[in-house]
């Protein structure tokens, strides 16, 4: 199923306004501004305004530099820790975050800025005219805005917990004291998101099969998938300390509805796991945005490729992730004596998703054998694991000549996640059952892995969590999963390892520590609210409190 992200910016709104307003606009004095009425009373301008609201959807690399959330949990290591200069994964891993200096600090302003734009559009919606050639267009725009407001609030919720709910335009000149908001509860924010998703789903088409140019816009399918994801979080231990079973039941219903709708509408598991991340159009991807380009600082290929391919090797997978890939023939973990694992040949016979996700010493890549003691040795100052990402990378890209690139995507939602969301919610709601094994094994079968069967709720929970770790590796799920499950204090609070290779022929593998990770459960499950926001509001409203 094709999809693409809407790239139009603010400049497009101004260009369209100039085109639409014609002589009246061009005759203005240069100091004049386009009025809100002129923007929203023309549906082309109104759509251009909506397009700009998509621009803060999170991407592969996080603010500040080319680093990913995978390096702030037990998936990868950021080879150069720049956190002393600007916030990145090192702030998480060393416990050095503060409200004045922490990764993704810009998210608060970015997401609330887009929420404000959503509120602006909804306040002016009555001005938006119908399109006689596309009668559903006006309602579709409102649905997109409700969906986007829900999405940005979900991002705030999982980062900060309860946050202020701003659901209409606020003018400080009309109500000077009314802008000093309190933090709403997790329950209140969740219910508000659910209301927006419900309203959005009633206005949006399920898909854009009849209008391919709109692929990538908000749809009812996306709204249903987000509801399932939100309810899964809301039922999880971090959000549900009393373990209210009804939340799991609601999550199971929502996740099943999203999964069934996806399958009926052609969002099915793609045969080739690797291609999901390197094809711009792929039937498994429900929602995405463009991945970074290939070349230059911040380019996906430049940052992630080994040095022998002229890459920077900035992100290097951890031995802990490598160890968690099972053996293909048996479906058993490498720690099981019956698995078939050989410590002398540690990369043989693993889950096929291992080879699609990670490059390892001795692997062939772009016509060369990767050698961490030779052409792939780290740059000065790098602390590496001697593994490299394979996911997202194109073998055709030549970083020496600057050729061979094609557009790729950063996946926000895909069908495999829906299978795993449903399996987790249904297991917690009812315990093991055929429908759970069917969902879990559909994902495993796509990669040729043996089916899972048997076990009680606890053992199946462990298998589902393991499957999420493998299937969704390097896709920004793990960072949030270990928090909502409240296991980050174990998995992100220990030494992490890489590999060294010595000798020829009978190679010896050793596994040195690359970092001692720190996670304080008393204060690290939520991000700190930016200190600048606390300073602005808390003196006027003590109910606007900081996270621990």
């Amino acid at each position: 199923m094709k999809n693409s992200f809407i790239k139009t910016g603010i400049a497009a709104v101004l260009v369209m306004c100039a085109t639409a307003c014609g002589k009246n606009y061009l005759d203005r004095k240069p100091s004049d501004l386009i009025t809100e009425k002129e923007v929203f009373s023309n549906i082309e301008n109104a759509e251009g305004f909506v397009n700009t609201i998509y621009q803060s959807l999170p991407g592969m690399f996080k603010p500040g530099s080319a680093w990913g959330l995978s390096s702030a949990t037990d998936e990868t290591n950021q080879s150069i820790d720049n956190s002393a200069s600007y916030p990145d994964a090192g702030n998480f891993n060393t416990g050095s975050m503060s409200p004045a200096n922490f990764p993704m600090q810009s998210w608060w302003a970015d997401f609330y800025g887009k929420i404000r734009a959503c509120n602006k559009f909804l306040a002016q919606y009555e001005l938006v005219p119908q399109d006689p050639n596309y009668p559903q267009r006006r309602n579709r725009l409102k649905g997109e805005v409700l969906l986007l407001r829900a999405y940005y609030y979900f991002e705030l919720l999982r980062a900060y917990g309860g946050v202020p709910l701003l659901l209409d335009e606020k003018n400080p000149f009309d109500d000077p004291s009314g802008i000093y908001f309190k933090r709403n509860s997790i329950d209140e924010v969740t219910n508000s998101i659910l209301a927006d998703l419900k309203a959005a789903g009633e206005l949006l088409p399920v898909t854009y099969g009849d209008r391919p140019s709109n692929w990538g816009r908000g749809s009812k399918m996306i709204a249903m998938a987000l509801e399932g994801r939100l309810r899964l979080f809301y039922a999880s231990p971090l959000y549900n300390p009393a373990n209210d079973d009804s939340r799991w039941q609601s999550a199971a219903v929502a996740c099943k509805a999203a999964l069934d709708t996806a399958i009926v509408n052609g969002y099915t598991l793609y045969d080739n796991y690797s291609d999901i991340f390197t094809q711009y159009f792929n039937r498994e991807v429900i929602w995405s945005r463009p991945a970074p380009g290939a070349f230059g600082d911040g380019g996906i290929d430049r940052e992630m490729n080994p040095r022998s391919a002229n890459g920077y090797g900035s992100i290097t997978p951890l031995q802990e992730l490598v160890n968690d890939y099972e053996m293909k023939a048996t479906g058993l973990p490498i720690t099981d004596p019956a698995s078939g694992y050989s410590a002398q040949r540690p990369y043989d016979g693993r889950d096929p998703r291992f080879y699609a996700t990670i490059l390892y010493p001795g692997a062939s890549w772009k016509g060369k054998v990767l050698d961490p003691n030779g052409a792939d040795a780290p740059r000065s100052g790098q602390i590496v694991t001697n593994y490299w990402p394979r996911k997202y990378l194109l073998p055709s890209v030549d970083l020496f000549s600057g050729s061979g690139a094609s557009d790729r995507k950063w996946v926000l939602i895909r069908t495999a996640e829906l299978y795993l969301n449903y399996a987790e919610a249904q297991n917690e709601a009812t315990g093991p059952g055929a429908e759970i094994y069917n969902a879990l094994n559909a994902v495993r079968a796509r990669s040729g892995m043996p089916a899972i069967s048997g076990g009680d709720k606890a053992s199946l929970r462990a298998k589902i969590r393991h499957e999420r770790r493998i299937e969704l590796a390097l896709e920004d799920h793990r960072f949030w999963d270990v928090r909502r499950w409240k296991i980050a204090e174990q998995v992100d609070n220990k030494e992490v390892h890489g590999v060294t290779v010595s000798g020829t022929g009978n190679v010896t593998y050793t596994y040195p520590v690359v970092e001692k990770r720190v996670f304080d459960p008393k204060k690290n499950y939520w991000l700190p609210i930016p200190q600048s926001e606390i300073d602005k509001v808390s003196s006027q409203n003590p109910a606007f409190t900081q996270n621990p």
Side-chain angles (χ1 to χ4, degrees):
M1 184 65 69
K2 292 183 179 180
N3 70 95
S4 62
F5 175 66
I6 308 303
K7 301 180 181 178
T8 312
I10 288 285
V13 181
L14 301 180
V15 170
M16 286 187 289
C17 286
T19 303
C21 298
K23 184 175 183 295
N24 290 336
Y25 172 73
L26 296 174
D27 284 348
R28 288 170 175 243
K29 294 178 181 179
S31 61
D32 281 1
L33 298 175
I34 301 169
T35 67
E36 288 181 0
K37 183 176 180 180
E38 287 174 314
V39 172
F40 293 105
S41 62
N42 179 288
I43 197 163
E44 297 293 339
N45 300 343
E47 184 164 303
F49 182 88
V50 172
N51 291 347
T52 67
I53 304 175
Y54 284 86
Q55 291 176 337
S56 289
L57 294 179
M60 173 180 287
F61 295 140
K62 300 303 173 279
S65 65
W67 68 279
L69 285 183
S70 65
S71 294
T73 188
D74 62 341
E75 291 185 317
T76 69
N77 186 62
Q78 184 180 330
S79 62
I80 294 181
D81 180 1
N82 296 304
S83 59
S85 302
Y86 45 80
D88 59 19
N91 296 88
F92 288 108
N93 299 331
T94 61
S96 62
M97 283 193 300
S98 74
N101 186 51
F102 66 92
M104 296 103 76
Q105 187 166 10
S106 63
W107 276 10
W108 183 277
D110 287 347
F111 296 160
Y112 270 114
K114 292 301 184 282
I115 288 167
R116 181 178 184 275
C118 291
N119 293 339
K120 170 70 70 178
F121 178 91
L122 295 171
Q124 304 297 328
Y125 179 64
E126 293 306 317
L127 295 175
V128 179
Q130 290 282 3
D131 182 343
N133 299 315
Y134 184 1
Q136 297 81 29
R137 187 179 185 186
R138 182 174 184 269
N139 280 347
R140 189 209 78 208
L141 290 175
K142 183 177 181 180
E144 287 181 69
V145 168
L146 289 166
L147 173 66
L148 288 165
R149 185 169 71 175
Y151 184 82
Y152 288 123
Y153 266 121
F154 171 73
E155 290 289 347
L156 289 166
L157 177 71
R158 69 176 179 176
Y160 301 101
V163 294
L165 277 174
L166 313 182
L167 302 177
D168 51 32
E169 286 194 286
K170 305 294 182 184
N171 189 329
F173 298 102
D174 294 338
D175 183 11
S177 63
I179 63 171
Y180 297 106
F181 305 105
K182 70 179 182 68
R183 293 180 66 179
N184 291 82
S185 68
I186 287 175
D187 293 348
E188 290 170 329
V189 177
T190 299
N191 288 332
S192 179
I193 296 171
L194 289 172
D196 275 355
L197 291 174
K198 182 177 185 296
E202 293 169 352
L203 296 169
L204 291 167
V206 178
T207 70
Y208 290 100
D210 62 332
R211 289 182 175 271
S213 62
N214 285 329
W215 280 321
R217 290 190 176 278
S219 65
K220 183 175 182 178
M221 180 67 256
I222 294 169
M224 294 179 72
L226 285 177
E227 179 182 348
R229 185 190 286 181
L230 170 66
R231 289 191 182 275
L232 190 71
F233 272 71
Y234 189 52
S236 297
L238 182 62
Y239 302 79
N240 186 19
N243 196 26
D244 179 352
D245 285 340
S246 69
R247 296 192 189 181
W248 286 114
Q249 293 162 12
S250 296
V253 170
C255 290
K256 183 64 160 62
L259 175 59
D260 289 347
T261 301
I263 293 171
V264 166
N265 285 279
Y267 293 103
T268 55
L269 295 173
Y270 194 68
D271 293 339
N272 188 323
Y273 177 80
S274 181
D275 286 350
I276 299 167
F277 314 100
T278 57
Q279 293 179 350
Y280 199 80
F281 300 122
N282 186 281
R283 70 172 185 244
E284 183 170 334
V285 177
I286 295 169
W287 205 20
S288 67
R289 64 167 300 167
F295 309 111
D297 290 353
I300 179 174
D301 293 271
R302 183 71 74 189
E303 295 290 345
M304 297 172 72
N305 260 283
R307 290 193 70 199
S308 62
N310 205 23
Y312 293 162
S314 299
I315 298 172
T316 61
L318 294 172
Q319 185 66 44
E320 281 71 14
L321 177 59
V322 171
N323 288 345
D324 275 352
Y325 285 88
E326 298 167 338
M327 299 300 291
K328 179 183 178 182
T330 60
L332 295 173
I334 65 172
T335 53
D336 190 318
S339 68
Y341 172 73
S342 168
Q344 283 70 48
R345 302 185 66 85
Y347 310 120
D348 289 359
R350 306 294 285 274
D351 182 327
R353 290 170 292 187
F354 169 71
Y355 307 104
T357 305
I358 295 174
L359 295 169
Y360 54 91
S364 178
W365 179 241
K366 302 191 181 197
K368 301 174 183 177
V369 174
L370 297 177
D371 179 8
N373 299 316
D376 297 296
R379 290 181 291 147
S380 176
Q382 284 187 316
I383 298 175
V384 301
T385 64
N386 291 325
Y387 297 106
W388 306 267
R390 168 66 178 85
K391 207 172 205 177
Y392 308 110
L393 299 186
L394 285 169
S396 61
V397 170
D398 187 333
L399 291 170
F400 294 96
S401 66
S403 63
S406 62
D407 291 339
R408 280 153 284 171
K409 69 178 75 66
W410 172 245
V411 176
L412 297 172
I413 304 172
R414 63 184 178 95
T415 306
E417 182 204 341
L418 304 192
Y419 275 101
L420 297 174
N421 289 352
Y422 170 63
E424 179 181 349
Q426 189 66 30
N427 183 56
E428 298 298 336
T430 66
E435 66 278 9
I436 302 169
Y437 291 111
N438 289 342
L440 192 59
N441 289 328
V443 176
R444 291 175 65 82
R446 183 258 298 278
S447 294
M449 289 299 292
I452 286 173
S453 62
D456 58 11
K457 178 189 282 191
S459 63
L460 187 52
R461 177 189 299 132
K463 291 174 181 177
I464 292 168
R465 290 182 178 183
H466 172 269
E467 199 64 24
R468 287 185 72 91
R469 174 158 170 73
I470 298 302
E471 175 68 24
L472 305 176
L474 279 62
E475 296 180 49
D476 276 9
H477 287 277
R478 180 71 172 175
F479 177 90
W480 303 110
D481 279 347
V482 299
R483 282 161 171 74
R484 68 180 177 89
W485 294 329
K486 292 204 74 175
I487 65 170
E489 58 204 77
Q490 286 90 46
V491 302
D492 291 340
N493 192 34
K494 62 182 182 181
E495 294 177 343
V496 293
H497 301 79
V499 65
T500 58
V501 181
S502 57
T504 57
N506 292 324
V507 173
T508 299
Y509 298 92
T510 54
Y511 304 98
V513 174
V514 296
E515 189 172 38
K516 171 65 173 75
R517 300 278 176 89
V518 175
F519 187 96
D520 185 347
K522 295 179 181 178
K523 65 179 183 179
N524 291 154
Y525 274 107
W526 304 109
L527 295 186
I529 293 172
Q531 188 61 42
S532 59
E533 301 297 327
I534 295 293
D535 292 342
K536 284 188 287 189
V537 180
S538 61
S539 62
Q540 301 292 326
N541 185 353
F544 188 79
T545 55
Q546 179 60 275
N547 280 327

